[in-house]
Amino acid sequence: MRKKVTVVGAGNVGATTAHRLADKQLADVVLIDILEGIPQGKGLDLLEAGPIEGYDCRVRGTNDYADTANSDLVVMTAGFPRKPGMSRDDLLKANFDVVKGTIEKVVKHSPDCILIVVTNPLDAMAQTALKVSGFSRNRVIGMAGILDTARYRTFIAEALNVSVQNVQGFVLGGHGDTMVPVPRYTTVAGIPVAELMPKDKLDAIIERTRKGGGEIVALLKAGSAYYAPSAAVVEMVDAIFNDRKKVLPCAAYLEGEYGIKGLFVGVPVKLGAKGIEQIIEIKLTAEEKAALDKSAASVKELVQIVGV
Ligand code: APR
């Protein structure tokens, strides 16, 4: 039997995620939104692409949470996107209400699902989802690190004129301007990136990565990124549904790992059928640890504002 995924929010990230899930034949998809007609229309349009693309996945849109019942996995994208000049943090209160309300409904109908949170500010919204759902921490995962790392890998590959597939690395910390790309663990076909690029060039790439979301917002003017975010979500779904045990940077609820307790922060995790199956702790230099602590402190500020 095919797996069932509910995507909450049929906007840019949600609809593109549904499209990618069907294209990869990963699951039947229910798109749900507060707007009437939009999820139904996009769902039907995606269903009608099936005969051409060759997928049998059922895609449908709805406004009724009963249709989401017994989902194996739920992707939370509902909320308001960032407008130019607006920080992720400005979105906090508006999106907190949306995430709280929709998670309550979704978990009532799918008590055994795994939750992937995309709504920004990411780490605080993932924490909201964890607290509101009452789920164990392996079943609530924030999507940010794969996206931030993809941006970082893109810029490095472009600068060195090599395949993006050769560039490996990860970004730690919160999904915001304090995120922590780690050059020491960044390699190009196994070669440490510092051997291939002068420090000032790498520093500029790190800075561009930190502001990667804002760069897209400034270009689009109305709305924020969705192609790369939806691709990142689908990599997570694929790792979970195929029990790949794939090590990926994701936002996870830390309970003492990295010296951080009771907070969602981006770290390398192992994703498999149970969701987060392991939080991988790597050794950090004093400087890297300080940067991670600073990033965690900015997440904590937001979490305290919403009180989760
Ligand atoms: N219930 C269901 N859907 C809702 C609700 C709600 N209470 N409130 C808002 N929505 C829907 C909107 O109607 C809209 O269709 O969420 C959708 C959001 O879509 P977009 O505005 O296109 O935003 P998108 O680009 O998809 O980004 C969604 O992901 O990357 C983050 O920062 C981004 O937080 C934002 C989220």
Side-chain angles (χ1 to χ4, degrees):
M1 210 173 89
R2 267 192 302 272
K3 299 276 193 183
K4 178 173 177 179
V5 172
T6 286
V7 180
V8 186
N12 283 334
V13 178
T16 316
T17 298
H19 185 187
R20 293 189 190 280
L21 288 171
D23 244 1
K24 290 193 186 275
Q25 307 194 38
L26 276 169
D28 289 336
V29 183
V30 177
L31 264 176
I32 187 161
D33 201 286
I34 201 164
L35 300 175
E36 283 175 25
I38 298 289
Q40 289 87 347
K42 290 187 182 182
L44 184 58
D45 196 8
L46 282 167
L47 186 72
E48 291 167 353
I52 307 165
E53 298 282 351
Y55 56 75
D56 287 300
C57 299
R58 302 252 306 274
V59 187
R60 60 177 299 202
T62 185
N63 306 115
D64 181 356
Y65 279 85
D67 296 328
T68 71
N70 301 317
S71 293
D72 298 286
L73 190 146
V74 174
V75 182
M76 170 56 57
T77 78
F80 303 99
R82 201 149 50 118
K83 307 238 165 63
M86 199 179 178
S87 78
R88 284 192 186 88
D89 306 352
D90 293 335
L91 285 176
L92 179 64
K93 285 201 167 136
N95 283 355
F96 170 75
D97 291 338
V98 171
V99 170
K100 183 172 179 290
T102 51
I103 290 286
E104 275 166 0
K105 286 183 241 169
V106 111
V107 301
K108 211 166 92 194
H109 293 278
S110 301
D112 300 320
C113 71
I114 288 175
L115 290 168
I116 294 179
V117 180
V118 184
T119 306
N120 275 314
L122 189 273
D123 308 275
M125 293 304 104
Q127 189 130 337
T128 303
L130 179 86
K131 297 293 157 113
V132 171
S133 65
F135 285 4
S136 53
R137 68 169 176 161
N138 62 302
R139 288 204 283 142
V140 184
I141 318 162
M143 187 296 291
I146 299 173
L147 169 64
D148 296 329
T149 302
R151 288 177 175 148
Y152 181 54
R153 291 170 65 195
T154 301
F155 303 149
I156 290 172
E158 208 173 33
L160 294 174
N161 192 25
V162 298
S163 166
V164 289
Q165 292 179 35
N166 281 150
V167 184
Q168 294 296 332
F170 53 85
V171 172
L172 296 172
H175 184 50
D177 302 344
T178 59
M179 71 178 75
V180 189
V182 195
R184 219 162 45 83
Y185 288 107
T186 306
T187 59
V188 179
I191 306 160
V193 70
E195 305 269 321
L196 301 172
M197 198 186 283
K199 186 173 179 311
D200 59 337
K201 209 164 177 181
L202 192 55
D203 285 346
I205 285 176
I206 288 172
E207 199 45 30
R208 189 175 175 198
T209 302
R210 287 202 176 107
K211 302 198 166 126
E215 183 177 1
I216 305 273
V217 170
L219 288 166
L220 293 179
K221 302 207 170 55
S224 50
Y226 52 100
Y227 291 116
S230 56
V233 170
V234 171
E235 183 173 32
M236 293 165 74
V237 176
D238 171 75
I240 293 167
F241 283 174
N242 290 305
D243 194 21
R244 291 197 194 277
K245 320 284 185 200
K246 203 168 187 179
V247 178
L248 293 164
C250 296
Y253 189 70
L254 301 186
E255 289 175 335
E257 297 87 357
Y258 293 92
I260 297 167
K261 213 169 160 78
L263 206 60
F264 265 85
V265 178
V267 291
V269 302
K270 193 192 281 177
L271 286 191
K274 297 188 180 72
I276 295 179
E277 299 192 348
Q278 191 188 339
I279 290 173
I280 293 168
E281 272 194 91
I282 49 160
K283 282 208 181 94
L284 298 177
T285 63
E287 200 184 333
E288 289 160 355
K289 176 72 170 76
L292 181 62
D293 286 345
K294 186 172 163 227
S295 188
S298 69
V299 174
K300 192 163 192 175
E301 260 176 50
L302 302 187
V303 163
Q304 280 171 341
I305 295 170
V306 292
V308 288

